[in-house]
């Protein structure tokens, strides 16, 4: 298979760039046409209702006369054919424009493929710009990989923060039941609800800590994080529920308070890391845009002067 010349590649890129520009101009025109059709359709419906009054018979004709709308209805009847023609013309324009956009649907991918073909040609033939294009390709690859890691880490951070938030809510509820159980004699029912919320909070904490591990792995930090445990000793839980004495109530209440403090600290730390990830993601995207701009400047042929 014969390798296309640089001139052929440039001509194809220029052709596709023109189509791409036309496509970008057609899309807002299609939106405007759709809005115009909606407006014209509503106007035609209104004119049709008015024109119907002019041909009304019997009670409807009398009602139209009493309303003084006969002249208005007649005028609507005169304007009706033009409104129908205008709406038909707008729909024809939309059909034509939509067909052109359908034909151009593959233009973006074709343009990208043409740039890639020229880039390969320049690198394979030892062209002076080939070395810089190779450098840009390496930098872009590194940034794309980093961006993917940052996005996965940011998603994990968001899930972790939400898990810690829900655990804090549940422990707050458990703390209220604990105070009621300790000082108001909540009984087995109060103790049961308290431990139910503690166990649910523990599940949220475990899920959040898993997401923290995912986030740390994506960021290249595989050190094991100190776990947050809300586990209440089995004997303490049994005594608290079955005998409901103040000593076990106070022990559970103290564990709730300590656990809630650890969870809030973890939530704030994850939120801080997530903000840093968002900022770094924006930096990487900006660097990628700059690299793409430089690559395009090396690949896209300059427009030829007229004549």
């Amino acid at each position: 298979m014969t390798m296309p010349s640089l001139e052929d590649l440039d001509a194809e890129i220029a052709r596709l760039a023109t189509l791409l520009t036309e496509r970008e101009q057609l899309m807002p025109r299609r939106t405007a046409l759709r809005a115009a059709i909606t407006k014209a359709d509503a106007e035609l419906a209104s004119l049709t209702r008015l024109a119907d009054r002019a041909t009304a018979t019997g009670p409807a004709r009398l009602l139209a006369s009493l309303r003084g709308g006969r002249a208005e209805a007649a005028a609507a009847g005169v304007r009706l054919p033009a409104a129908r023609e205008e709406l038909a013309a707008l729909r024809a324009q939309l059909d034509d424009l939509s067909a052109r956009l359908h034909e151009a649907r593959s233009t973006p991918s074709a343009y990208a493929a043409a740039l890639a073909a020229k880039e390969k040609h320049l690198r394979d033939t030892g062209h002076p710009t080939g070395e810089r294009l190779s450098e840009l390709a390496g930098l872009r690859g590194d940034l794309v990989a980093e961006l993917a890691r940052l996005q996965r880490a940011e998603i994990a951070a968001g899930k972790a923060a939400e898990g810690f938030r829900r655990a804090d809510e549940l422990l707050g509820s458990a703390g209220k039941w604990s105070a009621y159980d300790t000082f108001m004699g909540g009984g087995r029912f109060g103790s049961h609800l308290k431990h139910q919320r503690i166990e649910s909070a523990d599940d949220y904490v475990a899920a959040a800590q898993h997401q923290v591990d995912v986030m740390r792995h994506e960021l290249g930090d595989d050190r094991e994080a100190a776990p947050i445990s809300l586990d209440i000793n089995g004997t303490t839980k049994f005594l608290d529920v079955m005998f409901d004495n103040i000593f076990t109530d106070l022990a559970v209440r103290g564990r709730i308070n300590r656990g809630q403090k650890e969870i809030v600290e973890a939530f704030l730390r994850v939120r801080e890391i997530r903000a840093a990830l968002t900022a770094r993601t924006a930096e990487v995207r900006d660097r990628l845009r700059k690299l793409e701009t430089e690559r395009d400047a090396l690949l896209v042929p300059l427009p030829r002067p007229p004549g």
Side-chain angles (χ1 to χ4, degrees):
M1 182 176 178
T2 305
M3 179 183 294
S5 67
L6 194 56
E7 290 76 14
D8 290 340
L9 289 169
D10 281 344
E12 179 64 4
I13 290 172
R15 183 185 72 82
L16 289 169
T18 300
L19 291 176
L20 203 58
T21 301
E22 291 177 355
R23 179 177 179 272
E24 291 171 355
Q25 293 171 345
L26 289 176
M27 293 178 74
R29 283 178 56 193
R30 180 174 62 179
T31 302
L33 269 175
R34 284 173 172 167
I37 287 172
T38 300
K39 182 180 178 182
D41 208 7
E43 183 180 355
L44 180 61
S46 177
L47 288 172
T48 301
R49 285 193 298 270
L50 285 172
D52 286 345
R53 294 182 188 176
T55 58
T57 59
R61 183 183 182 89
L62 178 61
L63 183 60
S65 298
L66 291 174
R67 288 177 176 173
R70 296 288 294 167
E72 186 181 5
V78 172
R79 295 200 306 271
L80 198 55
R84 286 176 178 150
E85 289 180 7
E86 180 184 352
L87 181 58
L90 287 172
R91 284 178 172 159
Q93 289 180 47
L94 180 61
D95 290 343
D96 177 65
L97 193 148
S98 296
R100 290 165 64 189
L101 280 171
H102 182 74
E103 291 176 0
R105 67 190 183 282
S106 62
T107 302
S109 57
Y111 182 73
L115 289 180
K118 181 178 178 181
E119 180 178 13
K120 183 177 185 304
H121 177 92
L122 294 174
R123 290 164 64 179
D124 290 349
T125 57
H127 192 277
T129 58
E131 184 176 349
R132 179 55 182 166
L133 285 168
S134 295
E135 292 175 1
L136 291 176
L139 292 171
R140 283 165 51 232
D142 291 343
L143 287 174
V144 167
E146 182 182 356
L147 184 62
R149 290 195 301 272
L150 287 169
Q151 289 173 330
R152 290 193 295 267
E154 191 172 354
I155 291 171
K159 291 180 179 178
E162 177 61 17
F164 286 133
R165 187 191 67 78
R166 288 289 293 122
D168 181 54
E169 284 182 352
L170 287 164
L171 279 191
S173 176
K176 292 175 183 177
W177 280 107
S178 181
Y180 173 71
D181 196 24
T182 302
F183 304 114
M184 304 294 290
R188 293 184 184 180
F189 178 70
S191 294
H192 173 73
L193 288 177
K194 173 177 63 182
H195 285 284
Q196 188 180 57
R197 281 156 176 74
I198 291 172
E199 290 169 3
S200 295
D202 204 20
D203 290 340
Y204 275 106
V205 167
Q209 287 185 318
H210 171 70
Q211 294 299 327
V212 168
D213 291 340
V214 171
M215 177 187 71
R216 293 167 69 98
H217 175 71
E218 293 295 344
L219 298 177
D221 183 359
D222 291 323
R223 293 174 297 173
E224 186 174 349
I228 299 172
S229 176
L230 306 178
D231 184 43
I232 305 298
N233 179 276
T235 302
T236 302
K237 179 179 177 181
F238 175 77
L239 293 173
D240 187 33
V241 173
M242 298 304 297
F243 296 101
D244 197 37
N245 65 79
I246 192 168
F247 300 106
T248 54
D249 286 344
L250 289 172
V252 173
R253 182 172 171 78
R255 189 67 196 93
I256 290 172
N257 291 336
R258 289 192 299 275
Q260 200 164 13
K261 180 181 177 182
E262 291 178 14
I263 286 171
V264 170
E265 290 174 353
F267 171 80
L268 293 175
R269 179 58 181 150
V270 168
R271 189 173 66 176
E272 179 184 339
I273 293 172
R274 190 182 183 191
L277 289 171
T278 300
R280 176 58 184 167
T281 298
E283 291 177 7
V284 171
R285 289 186 186 279
D286 184 59
R287 289 181 62 190
L288 272 171
R289 281 192 294 268
K290 290 177 179 177
L291 291 180
E292 289 293 341
T293 299
E294 182 180 352
R295 175 177 179 262
D296 285 351
L298 293 173
L299 292 174
V300 178
L302 295 174
R304 296 180 179 178

